[in-house]
Amino acid sequence: MNIFKELFGRLWIVWAAILFTSTMMIFFIPFLLLCYFRPEPQKTNRFVLYSRVWMNIFLTLIGCPLKIKGRENFAAGQTYIVLCNHNTIIDVPASSTGIPGGNKTIAKIEMAKIPLFGLLYKTGSVLVDRKSEASRRESLGKMKEVLSLGLHMCIYPEGTRNKTNQPLKFFHDGGFKLAIDTKKSIIPGVIFNTKKVLPPDKTFFLWPHSIAVHFLEPFVIQPSDTVEELKKKVFETMKNYYAANQK
């Protein structure tokens, strides 16, 4: 059984790569014609709308249908900072397309250099060079600009993928500082099952399994909130929710 699973998982990731590339090429033409040259926030709003269709088709065809819970926690006309746990690369399309309305994701700059895909990646992201202190500082201002456009900002406070056996890794300060500076409420997003799809202890392996993103009730920023207090509250809420709802 283990040999079958190992073989199937490696064949399945080849299928997923072929499917991703082919669907991206189909999506790229309408993206370039109808999204890329539009002014913001229309550019990002259209991109997210089209990519939501693209990713739902792609994830379904690779046996990883996406299920979203808690969209009602996004009040109409409000802009939020969405903080999600981060296990695999699939977390990004799952959370970005699951968020109702236009949004951008904080993302590492290296991926933007990939031909064609890089244009899509840059459109949906605030890019940061993690090796540059100046880039990290500038990203805070860029994220404030995103929020000022009426777009949600999606951040992964663990910073890098969680390859441990714990529900969450240590949270960094950036998303919480952004919330206090802008007074924008935080909506935690808890992502389930992406480690089952892309196990951290395997390379070149993908296993079909449903994925879920649960958006929790917002944390409204209070005048007395500090970065450390807010970080602790959100961390505990997400950790406890993950532990209580993982299957």
Side-chain angles (χ1 to χ4, degrees):
M1 178 62 182
N2 286 339
I3 295 175
F4 168 77
K5 185 172 182 178
E6 292 292 326
L7 178 60
F8 180 85
R10 282 163 173 75
L11 291 174
W12 200 248
I13 199 170
V14 173
W15 160 245
I18 293 170
L19 191 63
F20 181 86
T21 303
S22 58
T23 54
M24 182 188 73
M25 295 304 297
I26 294 170
F27 172 77
F28 189 82
I29 295 173
F31 159 75
L32 197 62
L33 295 177
L34 302 175
C35 297
Y36 189 70
F37 297 103
R38 296 282 180 173
E40 291 286 13
Q42 188 182 66
K43 177 180 179 178
T44 298
N45 283 325
R46 287 195 177 189
F47 169 75
V48 171
L49 179 63
Y50 296 158
S51 61
R52 184 175 294 125
V53 175
W54 172 31
M55 280 297 106
N56 279 326
I57 292 171
F58 168 71
L59 291 173
T60 299
L61 290 177
I62 65 168
C64 302
L66 178 61
K67 300 177 182 179
I68 305 297
K69 180 179 178 180
R71 282 197 179 105
E72 67 277 5
N73 289 317
F74 290 81
Q78 297 295 314
T79 304
Y80 296 93
I81 297 167
V82 185
L83 301 183
C84 296
N85 56 314
H86 190 21
N87 297 317
T88 74
I89 57 173
I90 294 183
D91 300 329
V92 177
S95 55
S96 177
T97 59
I99 294 170
N103 65 88
K104 286 185 183 288
T105 301
I106 189 75
K108 57 185 181 181
I109 198 169
E110 291 85 353
M111 297 284 284
K113 299 175 183 178
I114 300 173
L116 298 184
F117 175 75
L119 290 180
L120 304 174
Y121 187 82
K122 287 188 289 186
T123 300
S125 306
V126 169
L127 299 176
V128 60
D129 183 353
R130 291 182 296 183
K131 299 176 184 178
S132 167
E133 182 64 33
S135 178
R136 290 197 295 269
R137 287 195 303 269
E138 290 169 3
S139 67
L140 184 62
K142 292 177 181 178
M143 289 189 287
K144 290 178 180 179
E145 290 177 14
V146 169
L147 293 168
S148 71
L149 290 170
L151 300 168
H152 306 298
M153 190 65 226
C154 184
I155 301 171
Y156 305 93
E158 294 164 293
T160 57
R161 283 174 278 176
N162 178 12
K163 297 183 179 181
T164 74
N165 59 1
Q166 298 301 310
L168 299 174
K169 286 172 56 180
F170 169 82
F171 279 2
H172 294 278
D173 293 347
F176 305 97
K177 179 172 174 53
L178 179 66
I180 289 175
D181 286 354
T182 61
K183 302 300 186 290
K184 296 292 185 181
S185 297
I186 291 173
I187 288 187
V190 184
I191 303 173
F192 295 96
N193 299 330
T194 53
K195 277 186 177 180
K196 294 177 181 178
V197 176
L198 292 171
D201 60 340
K202 296 182 183 295
T203 57
F204 201 73
F205 182 97
L206 187 147
W207 190 257
H209 196 290
S210 62
I211 299 167
V213 183
H214 294 185
F215 296 111
L216 310 186
E217 293 184 0
F219 283 80
V220 178
I221 307 306
Q222 304 298 328
S224 60
D225 280 333
T226 66
V227 168
E228 286 302 319
E229 291 169 347
L230 190 58
K231 182 167 64 173
K232 182 178 179 180
K233 287 191 292 185
V234 175
F235 181 92
E236 290 299 322
T237 297
M238 292 177 67
K239 183 183 75 170
N240 292 338
Y241 188 91
Y242 186 95
N245 292 275
Q246 66 176 333
K247 297 179 182 179

